[in-house]
């Protein structure tokens, strides 16, 4: 995916569950040693302080600098902050909610060797760039039907030790 840095908007301490939508989509996820097997590329800072993504705000304490993300059917990602009881509310400020993330995912990212020749930035002394090897590992997101089929498999473990038959599934 391509890296983007953007101001999401203004925090409003009087507003519960304040939400913002990322301008670029889809949000890039990468493989990770987590229960879900993936990690987001999204970093959110409020007044320069990093906030943490949680799976569900219901489990966040009132002072936790936490947010959750929701993806719609079109691949747009919404970032939702706490209500003061479950996750902290955003502090009031102008353009104080900022994000850095990678957008783009799927098979188009599997470029062939030599296909990339433009640098996004030009550090001193760098005259040209090229990707010597083909990229691999890019996969398109699951369709709704694929997700319906795969969800029961993901729910079997529920972040716990699994049995042999669970592992085989």
């Amino acid at each position: 995916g391509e890296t983007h840095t953007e101001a999401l908007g203004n925090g409003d301490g009087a507003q519960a569950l304040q939400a913002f939508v990322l301008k670029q989509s889809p949000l890039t996820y990468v493989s990770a040693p987590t229960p879900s097997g993936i990690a987001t590329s999204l970093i959110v800072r409020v007044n320069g302080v990093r906030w943490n993504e949680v799976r569900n705000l219901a489990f966040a304490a009132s002072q936790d600098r936490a947010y959750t993300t929701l993806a719609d059917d079109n691949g747009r990602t919404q970032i939702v902050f706490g209500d003061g009881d479950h996750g902290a509310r955003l502090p009031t400020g102008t353009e104080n909610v900022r994000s850095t993330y990678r957008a783009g995912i799927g098979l188009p990212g599997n470029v062939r060797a030599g296909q990339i020749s433009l640098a996004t930035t030009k550090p001193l002394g760098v005259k040209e760039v090229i990707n010597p090897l083909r990229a691999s590992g890019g996969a398109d997101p699951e369709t709704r039907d694929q997700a319906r089929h795969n969800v029961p498999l993901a729910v079997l473990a529920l972040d716990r030790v699994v049995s042999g038959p669970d592992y085989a599934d």
Side-chain angles (χ1 to χ4, degrees):
E2 182 179 355
T3 301
H4 299 275
T5 300
E6 66 187 49
L8 295 174
N10 306 329
D12 180 356
Q15 187 175 346
L17 300 173
Q18 194 168 357
F20 302 94
V21 176
L22 295 178
K23 291 179 180 75
Q24 304 295 322
S25 63
L27 179 62
T28 300
Y29 289 85
V30 295
S31 296
T34 62
S36 65
I38 58 172
T40 181
S41 61
L42 178 64
I43 296 172
V44 175
R45 295 184 191 279
V46 180
N47 292 332
V49 177
R50 186 171 178 167
W51 286 41
N52 299 307
E53 184 174 1
V54 295
R55 289 172 62 179
N56 190 328
L57 286 170
F59 302 110
S62 62
Q63 72 280 4
D64 289 348
R65 293 179 179 132
Y67 64 90
T68 191
T69 57
L70 306 168
D72 67 14
D73 289 339
N74 297 320
R76 292 182 306 240
T77 301
Q78 182 180 44
I79 301 168
V80 182
F81 294 89
D83 60 5
D85 291 323
H86 304 292
R89 289 185 186 205
L90 287 172
T92 300
T94 303
E95 298 290 316
N96 63 333
V97 184
R98 303 193 60 83
S99 66
T100 302
Y101 61 96
R102 289 171 44 196
I105 191 168
L107 294 175
N110 293 336
V111 296
R112 61 185 188 278
Q115 186 173 346
I116 299 173
S117 60
L118 292 174
T120 56
T121 61
K122 297 204 176 185
L124 186 62
V126 174
K127 295 181 182 175
E128 63 182 342
V129 298
I130 192 164
N131 62 309
L133 302 173
R134 70 175 185 84
S136 63
D140 289 333
E142 289 182 323
T143 65
R144 186 176 299 198
D145 289 337
Q146 290 170 326
R148 282 190 184 115
H149 177 266
N150 293 335
V151 164
L153 297 175
V155 175
L156 286 175
L158 290 176
D159 296 342
R160 61 181 166 77
V161 175
V162 297
S163 67
D166 286 341
Y167 180 76
D169 287 341

